[in-house]
Amino acid sequence: MIFYNQVYQYTDKEEKNRIRIIDIDNPIVYFVELYGDTSMPKKVVLSDMEAEVQSGLLIPIPDPFAKSYDDKDLTKKQIQKRDEDWKIVSAGWDEYKETLLSKKDRDAAFEQIAQQHGITKIKIKRIFTRFWLRGLNKNALLPDYMYSGGKGKERKLSADAKVGRPRKYTSTKQGINITTDVKKQFDFVVNKYYRKKEQLSLTDTYEFLLREFYSDKYYEGDELKYKIWDDSRIPTYHQFYYWFKKLEDPQLDFQLRHSQKEFELKHRPILSNSTLETDGPGTRFQIDATIADVYLVSSFDRNLIIGRPIVYGVIDVYSRLLTGIYVGLEGPSWVGAMMALDNMVTDKVAFCATYDIEIDESQWPAHHLPEIIIADRGEFEGYSVESLINNFNLKIENTSPYRGDLKGIIERQFRTINGKIKRKTPGAIQKEYRERGDRDYRLVASLNLEEFTKIVIHLVLHHNQKIIEKYPLEKEMIVEQLTATPINLWNWGIANKKGRLQTVSNQIILRLNLLPKGRARITRTGIKFKGLAYGSEKALNEQWYLKMKNQSIEVVFDPRSMNQIYIPHSDGQNFDICYLLDTSEQYKGDFLEEIEYYQQLLQETKRQETNKQVESTVNTDAAIESIIKQATKQKKEAPFQPISKSEKLKDIRVNRQAEKLVNREVEKFDLTEKLKSQPAQVVEFVKKETPSTTQKSSSRLMDKLRKKRDEQFGKDD
């Protein structure tokens, strides 16, 4: 069936193959071919055209001129031209329709219409042609100003013709045309100077363009200078700016001038929503940490400032409900994240009660594990993530570095919490940089950690009941007139969406999987871990110290208290406790960082003492060598005595006795009050008769003793 104002296309023709039906007067159909400035109506038998349609030679196609215009988007000139032409067409088509459709009488009708409106016949033909070709409606007569000026097309330049707007204040110097070569120069300086980390301005880049290509070099002394060419030989800054904007690549420019990461974080197009990635509560949780913009004081002395606390938050992407928090001094680290995950599955009524805040479960109903946790690479790479994945069927998605926007929901909530804290809390950071004379906001800090935690809990409870602006409500939510608060979205999602939430029946098992793991070594002196010695009743009963010596086992530990470590059982539910032995008793009550510090300090002390020991050994060896050298020298200088080797060896015992007597005189204790200057008494030796066999030996001994005595006590003097 043929329809009025329908566009058809012939499948057996390559040119002039599209037509528009402009009138149907059974059994005749009038159409125009969709080409040319003055395409006139033609006629054909309706049944013939229907046969072509049925055979597939003529097929209906979408109207190529179908467009929707709003008058507020049109210029006054366009509206004026359209309305003037419409007066001509509407009156002429109503009065001369049959005549205009007839080929014999058509020219006469055009003549009469042209005379009525005082314009040429050819212009009348073009107006009606536009009306027929473009859809038989008023907007079909809009002028094609959008194609004026050759938009998007480059002009063909002659050698002496200057294109572009003439200069206002000069008539002789009109500048240069921007040729392909000039554009290459523009592209060169943009790549070399503008698209760099130094972030030169476009003006600076233009100046480098002139220096590189439109100047003469010369020297004044040893100094290189540049002479910029005349205005008629250089491109203007406006020409450079025009072509830069025409050919610019904003994404590439930003990435090269700043960084890919900053573009992805702050300037990339935002065409989606995190909620679209979920299909109900528990599908995805986001976890992140921030350093709160407030200084706290010590819990036992409010005059002691302890710095800024760490706030961890876990939020459900679908409902925006905060499902877990941690406020403390741990982190950002795995320990802080571990505490937030533990709080995530904790009953919030009992949790709030520990801070004297009474709530019912409907105010904070979250105590579940999700299907997926989106986290930073830092805390969730390694550690106990594998245990969470394998034992609780969790999926961990780590974001790229410096891509906080990938966890935009929790990041935005942190900004909200920090904003409320900064307005009301003493000790909050009011300025990033204090000016001279400003009061130090740290000095007015008043809240301790427990009080600040209470504030965060109240902010979480408030957030869970606050309406979320711009939340993408589903049709079913709108029909049920659901208010977009996290509590309502959480409850509605549980009732109407897929169930992704998991409950934890035994929180101790979860903590056993959250705590960090390590390898301990079994030795005769105990189970060694982190330089500490532990003992276990099971190890003692099963004689691990003898049977499993030097083997390693997996243990679980809490770095905040190293008093005990845990050996998990293979069933994943039970564990054995290892307690600190007396040999490591000095570290009882310390946390891992303190122990590592003490051990490092001990090693440093040993290294320092080792250096001293080496120095002492070197000096001792030097002193010994000096004594030996001196003794050797004195022996060489001693007067030569013609004594045979056998006599020297024969008198060793006699020499020893003589030396002993001399040493006794020096070493003996004198307990009297006599002055040391008093001359010593001389003991006269009485010569006794001895057998002939020993006479010679005794005589030699006595001679040596007398000689030593005289030398020692100065008898010769």
Side-chain angles (χ1 to χ4, degrees), residues 656-671 676 678-685 704-714:
R656 179 182 180 85
Q657 290 296 328
E659 193 73 19
K660 183 187 293 186
L661 290 174
V662 174
N663 283 340
R664 283 180 175 178
E665 289 295 331
V666 178
E667 296 172 353
K668 66 183 179 180
F669 294 144
D670 188 359
L671 303 182
K676 292 184 179 180
Q678 183 178 349
Q681 295 180 359
V682 179
V683 179
E684 294 290 344
F685 290 91
K704 288 186 177 183
L705 290 177
R706 291 190 187 95
K707 185 178 180 181
K708 292 291 185 182
R709 179 195 62 190
D710 295 341
E711 291 176 357
Q712 183 70 24
F713 298 106

Side-chain angles (χ1 to χ4, degrees), residues 366-378:
H367 52 85
H368 309 83
L369 285 174
E371 180 182 16
I372 299 171
I373 294 179
I374 304 174
D376 281 330
R377 296 166 63 90

Side-chain angles (χ1 to χ4, degrees), residues 295-532:
Y295 281 82
L296 303 183
V297 298
S298 172
S299 58
F300 56 85
D301 187 350
R302 292 187 185 268
N303 293 315
L304 302 178
I305 301 172
I306 63 173
R308 297 160 60 184
I310 308 298
V311 179
Y312 263 92
V314 186
I315 197 168
D316 175 50
V317 173
Y318 178 83
S319 66
R320 309 295 199 270
L321 186 81
L322 276 163
T323 59
I325 61 170
Y326 166 69
V327 182
L329 305 177
E330 298 288 350
S333 64
W334 171 254
V335 175
M338 177 182 69
M339 295 299 294
L341 294 176
D342 183 70
N343 181 262
M344 178 180 69
V345 300
T346 300
D347 179 66
K348 300 305 186 296
V349 176
F351 169 68
C352 293
T354 59
Y355 291 93
D356 298 326
I357 299 174
E358 294 185 4
I359 65 169
D360 55 50
E361 188 175 358
S362 62
Q363 293 177 266
W364 199 355
H367 52 85
H368 309 83
L369 285 174
E371 180 182 16
I372 299 171
I373 294 179
I374 304 174
D376 281 330
R377 296 166 63 90
E379 294 98 328
F380 279 77
E381 280 198 338
Y383 297 101
S384 298
V385 174
E386 291 296 330
S387 297
L388 290 175
I389 295 172
N390 297 331
N391 295 322
F392 295 94
N393 196 27
L394 277 177
K395 296 178 182 178
I396 305 297
E397 295 182 358
N398 287 314
T399 60
S400 304
Y402 309 104
R403 290 298 307 276
D405 58 309
L406 299 180
K407 308 187 304 299
I409 295 176
I410 186 63
E411 293 274 356
R412 182 65 188 89
Q413 186 54 34
F414 279 151
R415 289 199 297 272
T416 302
I417 291 176
N418 265 333
K420 290 182 177 292
I421 289 171
K422 291 176 70 170
R423 291 194 297 269
K424 298 182 179 181
T425 308
I429 300 174
Q430 301 300 334
K431 294 181 181 179
E432 188 171 355
Y433 299 102
R434 291 187 297 114
E435 297 179 2
R436 186 175 182 180
D438 289 348
R439 187 177 182 184
D440 194 336
Y441 42 75
R442 294 173 294 185
L443 298 177
V444 298
S446 304
L447 296 172
N448 60 28
L449 189 59
E450 181 179 356
E451 293 163 344
F452 180 75
T453 305
K454 291 181 180 180
I455 291 176
V456 173
I457 292 174
H458 282 292
L459 290 174
V460 170
L461 295 173
H462 170 71
H463 162 79
N464 289 344
Q465 299 178 2
K466 183 181 177 181
I467 296 177
I468 304 171
E469 299 293 339
K470 299 180 181 179
Y471 184 88
L473 287 170
E474 301 176 23
K475 290 182 180 179
E476 294 82 357
M477 297 178 181
I478 299 173
V479 170
E480 296 184 19
Q481 298 182 350
L482 184 73
T483 305
T485 65
I487 292 288
N488 292 341
L489 294 170
W490 175 273
N491 293 331
W492 191 91
I494 292 175
N496 297 277
K497 290 289 184 176
K498 294 181 179 179
R500 302 290 186 182
L501 296 171
Q502 307 177 53
T503 58
V504 177
S505 58
N506 190 341
Q507 196 165 354
I508 293 179
I509 297 177
L510 175 66
R511 291 179 177 178
L512 198 64
N513 285 276
L514 286 175
L515 287 172
K517 293 179 172 59
R519 303 293 298 182
R521 187 168 54 89
I522 301 173
T523 68
R524 291 179 58 195
T525 57
I527 301 172
K528 291 298 185 68
F529 182 69
K530 300 292 184 182
L532 307 180

Side-chain angles (χ1 to χ4, degrees), residues 10 83 150 163 198 234 270 276 331 340 407 425 476 508 541 595 616 628 631 635 656 698 701:
Y10 284 100
D83 292 347
V163 301
E198 291 77 11
I234 65 174
I270 302 175
L276 302 178
K407 308 187 304 299
T425 308
E476 294 82 357
I508 293 179
N541 293 337
I595 295 171
S616 176
I628 294 172
K635 182 175 181 179
R656 179 182 180 85
S698 299
L701 175 60

Side-chain angles (χ1 to χ4, degrees), residues 597-662:
Y597 169 75
Y598 291 139
Q599 291 176 345
Q600 185 178 2
L601 184 62
L602 181 61
Q603 293 300 322
E604 288 289 338
T605 304
K606 285 183 177 180
R607 278 195 291 269
Q608 294 176 3
E609 190 62 32
T610 300
N611 293 336
K612 292 181 180 179
Q613 290 290 328
V614 173
E615 181 180 345
S616 176
T617 301
V618 171
N619 292 331
T620 301
D621 291 342
I624 293 171
E625 291 173 0
S626 176
I627 295 171
I628 294 172
K629 185 177 180 181
Q630 183 68 21
T632 305
K633 180 180 178 182
Q634 290 179 0
K635 182 175 181 179
K636 290 181 179 180
E637 295 176 352
F640 176 75
Q641 294 181 1
I643 304 175
S644 64
K645 295 180 181 180
S646 59
E647 289 181 347
K648 284 185 178 182
L649 298 176
K650 186 177 180 181
D651 292 339
I652 290 178
R653 182 176 298 176
V654 176
N655 297 338
R656 179 182 180 85
Q657 290 296 328
E659 193 73 19
K660 183 187 293 186
L661 290 174
V662 174

